[in-house]
Amino acid sequence: MEKPLADAAQGDSLTFLRDELRTFARERDWEQFHTPKNLAMALSVEVAELVEHFQWLPTGADAELDEQKRTGIRHELADVLAYLIQLADKTNVDLVAALREKMALNRLKYPADRVRGDARKYSEY
Amino acid sequence: MEKPLADAAQGDSLTFLRDELRTFARERDWEQFHTPKNLAMALSVEVAELVEHFQWLPTGADAELDEQKRTGIRHELADVLAYLIQLADKTNVDLVAALREKMALNRLKYPADRVRGDARKYSEY
Amino acid sequence: MEKPLADAAQGDSLTFLRDELRTFARERDWEQFHTPKNLAMALSVEVAELVEHFQWLPTGADAELDEQKRTGIRHELADVLAYLIQLADKTNVDLVAALREKMALNRLKYPADRVRGDARKYSEY
Amino acid sequence: MEKPLADAAQGDSLTFLRDELRTFARERDWEQFHTPKNLAMALSVEVAELVEHFQWLPTGADAELDEQKRTGIRHELADVLAYLIQLADKTNVDLVAALREKMALNRLKYPADRVRGDARKYSEY
């Protein structure tokens, strides 16, 4: 059985980071480049830099990574989050609320009893 | 002058969502598919679904979007966040700490006085 | 009215390049890394390196590019083609035949008279 | 020892497809959407649709694919080629010449004797 949704978290860390990113862009007069279209492209580029770390590895599990790769992955994850927050900001989306809403939909769409361990069903996820 | 970093936010909303996503995957026995490599691929696919909304638009500004597109963007942003949180979880990265660390590096790398409004410098960002 | 399809071209340049790429990989014993999954990831990474050249430009038209960027774009296009050919090779797809087949489908799906200059219809393309 | 490059193939199949794609876009008045920037985005979206077929599979080898997936992969490969040709067309790049040039550079950069079977060296590829 699905657990009822707890009260929404306040999203404070994401709000804090959003404000830091706003200041960073404004101080450099970089807001002019930050259209939603451009931010979506930049996001896709950062994700690819993350993918690059994993492309020739069997699974990317911790034992397959050395310290340099771990740092690289950490930094790329940060870059992805930075562009994701900025794109959500420009499109007026509350990321935490959006994900909670999407998870509620996914709980209905993929009932645990019906899709358990099923790669075929999963592939439609 | 750069503002000093405030005390780190607690990251509670992201922690809450991470726990919800862990439960969701565990209840469906989908953890077996969630290698870092696979999650990185899934992340890139979700980002492309986001990019798709913007590819033929001039800038993606709000006036260019209808209600259906806004909902689509909202859901794709949620999906990107979901895979980002799960990939960070599997690679033991604290997303909030990683982004704060990366922003400190970026403040040194791109001093506001030197790069202000400069697309060329920006393109190296 | 649609023009009838001319006889299929021989695909010789792509066949030639495929053979060169096979030799290149075999001589380095890199075929072990070239699963379809890994090649698809590598292809997405190369495409992102191409996207990176355009992300902060208005349109990417020739006047917006300097010589260094033109060379970069040229090399990234080459890398994308290389992985595309290798992925098609591993999945036994004749790229030329596949595209001609797809274009025949697209001619039916997007009749010129119905979709002309229509961004909304185009967005479904 | 590296084999000397044979005479360049004529690239006729790609030229043929480029002309078909030009006609297709012109008949629909879709050239207005085909800036290099937009085509690069569209290319990345098509590649992600290809990646999607492989993301939860172990390797994407033929035995892991059913007929529906094979057809999907075939069509996505075609779409990737279509956008690649159109982007090369708009940026005045001869794809065949560019790849032959890039392979000559790669033969110098990755001497077979030095990098054979080496995943670490390969990861820098």
Side-chain angles (χ1 to χ4, degrees):
Chain A
M1 203 186 97
E2 298 297 337
K3 290 187 305 180
L5 284 171
D7 282 350
Q10 293 298 315
D12 37 13
S13 59
L14 288 177
T15 305
F16 172 83
L17 290 167
R18 183 202 64 192
D19 291 344
E20 294 272 299
L21 287 161
R22 281 183 183 175
T23 302
F24 187 86
R26 194 171 47 234
E27 286 176 348
R28 283 155 190 77
D29 195 20
W30 281 355
E31 290 154 314
Q32 60 186 307
F33 305 116
H34 287 188
T35 62
K37 178 171 179 141
N38 287 1
L39 289 170
M41 290 180 90
L43 178 62
S44 78
V45 170
E46 293 303 333
V47 166
E49 292 179 8
L50 190 51
V51 167
E52 196 173 6
H53 286 287
F54 297 107
Q55 67 188 339
W56 309 117
L57 299 179
T59 67
D62 202 54
E64 299 170 13
L65 309 173
D66 60 21
E67 202 50 38
Q68 193 189 347
K69 241 170 154 44
R70 266 185 217 105
T71 303
I73 289 165
R74 180 181 172 82
H75 286 173
E76 299 304 345
L77 284 167
D79 286 336
V80 172
L81 181 60
Y83 281 118
L84 180 61
I85 291 172
Q86 290 177 97
L87 180 52
D89 191 18
K90 294 291 179 189
T91 52
N92 300 306
V93 170
D94 177 329
L95 282 171
V96 175
L99 180 46
R100 303 199 73 217
E101 179 188 316
K102 192 74 198 308
M103 289 191 71
L105 291 172
N106 283 344
R107 284 191 188 91
L108 294 172
K109 198 170 169 189
Y110 305 100
D113 290 343
R114 282 236 318 273
V115 300
R116 190 167 291 120
D118 186 335
R120 195 179 48 78
K121 290 261 182 50
Y122 188 76
S123 72
E124 299 158 11
Y125 174 52
Chain B
M1 204 187 96
E2 298 296 338
K3 291 187 304 178
L5 285 170
D7 282 350
Q10 294 299 315
D12 36 13
S13 60
L14 289 176
T15 306
F16 173 83
L17 290 167
R18 182 203 65 193
D19 291 345
E20 294 273 299
L21 288 161
R22 280 184 184 173
T23 302
F24 187 86
R26 194 172 46 236
E27 286 176 349
R28 282 154 190 78
D29 196 17
W30 282 354
E31 291 155 313
Q32 60 186 307
F33 305 117
H34 286 188
T35 63
K37 178 173 180 141
N38 288 0
L39 289 170
M41 291 181 89
L43 177 62
S44 77
V45 170
E46 294 302 335
V47 166
E49 292 178 8
L50 189 53
V51 168
E52 196 172 7
H53 286 287
F54 297 106
Q55 65 187 342
W56 308 117
L57 300 178
T59 67
D62 202 54
E64 301 169 11
L65 309 172
D66 59 20
E67 202 49 39
Q68 193 187 348
K69 241 172 152 41
R70 267 187 216 103
T71 303
I73 289 166
R74 180 181 171 83
H75 285 173
E76 298 305 344
L77 284 167
D79 286 336
V80 172
L81 181 59
Y83 281 118
L84 180 61
I85 291 171
Q86 290 177 97
L87 179 51
D89 191 18
K90 294 292 182 189
T91 53
N92 300 306
V93 170
D94 178 328
L95 281 171
V96 175
L99 180 45
R100 301 201 73 217
E101 178 188 316
K102 193 73 198 309
M103 288 191 72
L105 292 172
N106 282 345
R107 285 191 188 91
L108 295 173
K109 199 171 168 187
Y110 304 100
D113 291 342
R114 282 237 319 275
V115 301
R116 191 168 289 120
D118 186 336
R120 195 180 47 78
K121 291 261 181 48
Y122 188 75
S123 72
E124 298 159 10
Y125 174 53
Chain C
M1 203 187 98
E2 299 296 338
K3 292 187 303 179
L5 284 170
D7 282 351
Q10 294 298 315
D12 37 12
S13 60
L14 288 177
T15 305
F16 173 83
L17 290 167
R18 182 203 64 192
D19 291 344
E20 293 273 300
L21 287 161
R22 280 183 184 174
T23 302
F24 187 87
R26 193 171 49 236
E27 286 176 348
R28 283 155 190 79
D29 195 17
W30 283 353
E31 291 155 312
Q32 59 186 308
F33 305 116
H34 287 189
T35 63
K37 178 172 179 142
N38 288 359
L39 290 170
M41 289 180 91
L43 178 61
S44 77
V45 169
E46 294 302 334
V47 167
E49 292 179 6
L50 191 51
V51 168
E52 195 173 7
H53 286 286
F54 297 106
Q55 65 188 342
W56 309 117
L57 299 179
T59 67
D62 203 52
E64 300 169 12
L65 309 173
D66 59 21
E67 203 48 41
Q68 193 188 347
K69 241 171 152 44
R70 268 187 216 102
T71 303
I73 289 165
R74 182 182 170 82
H75 285 174
E76 299 304 344
L77 284 166
D79 286 336
V80 172
L81 181 59
Y83 281 118
L84 179 62
I85 291 172
Q86 290 177 96
L87 179 51
D89 192 18
K90 293 292 179 187
T91 52
N92 301 306
V93 169
D94 178 328
L95 281 171
V96 175
L99 180 47
R100 303 200 72 217
E101 179 188 315
K102 192 73 198 307
M103 288 191 72
L105 292 172
N106 283 344
R107 284 191 189 90
L108 295 173
K109 199 171 167 188
Y110 305 99
D113 291 342
R114 280 236 320 273
V115 301
R116 191 167 289 121
D118 187 336
R120 195 180 48 79
K121 291 261 182 47
Y122 188 75
S123 72
E124 298 159 10
Y125 173 51
Chain D
M1 203 187 95
E2 298 297 337
K3 291 187 303 178
L5 285 170
D7 282 350
Q10 294 298 314
D12 38 13
S13 59
L14 289 177
T15 305
F16 172 84
L17 290 167
R18 182 203 62 191
D19 291 344
E20 294 272 300
L21 287 161
R22 280 183 184 174
T23 302
F24 187 87
R26 195 172 46 236
E27 286 176 348
R28 283 155 189 78
D29 195 18
W30 283 353
E31 291 155 313
Q32 58 186 310
F33 305 117
H34 287 188
T35 62
K37 178 173 179 139
N38 287 0
L39 289 169
M41 290 180 90
L43 177 62
S44 77
V45 170
E46 294 302 335
V47 167
E49 292 178 8
L50 190 51
V51 167
E52 196 173 7
H53 286 287
F54 297 107
Q55 64 187 341
W56 308 118
L57 300 178
T59 67
D62 203 53
E64 300 169 12
L65 309 173
D66 59 22
E67 203 49 38
Q68 192 187 348
K69 239 169 154 42
R70 266 186 218 103
T71 303
I73 289 166
R74 180 181 171 82
H75 285 174
E76 299 304 344
L77 284 166
D79 287 335
V80 172
L81 182 59
Y83 281 118
L84 180 62
I85 290 172
Q86 290 177 95
L87 179 52
D89 192 17
K90 295 290 180 189
T91 53
N92 300 306
V93 170
D94 178 329
L95 281 171
V96 175
L99 180 46
R100 301 200 74 218
E101 179 188 315
K102 192 74 199 307
M103 289 191 71
L105 291 173
N106 283 344
R107 284 190 188 89
L108 295 172
K109 198 170 168 188
Y110 304 98
D113 291 343
R114 282 237 316 274
V115 301
R116 190 168 290 119
D118 187 335
R120 194 178 49 80
K121 291 261 182 48
Y122 188 75
S123 71
E124 298 159 13
Y125 174 53

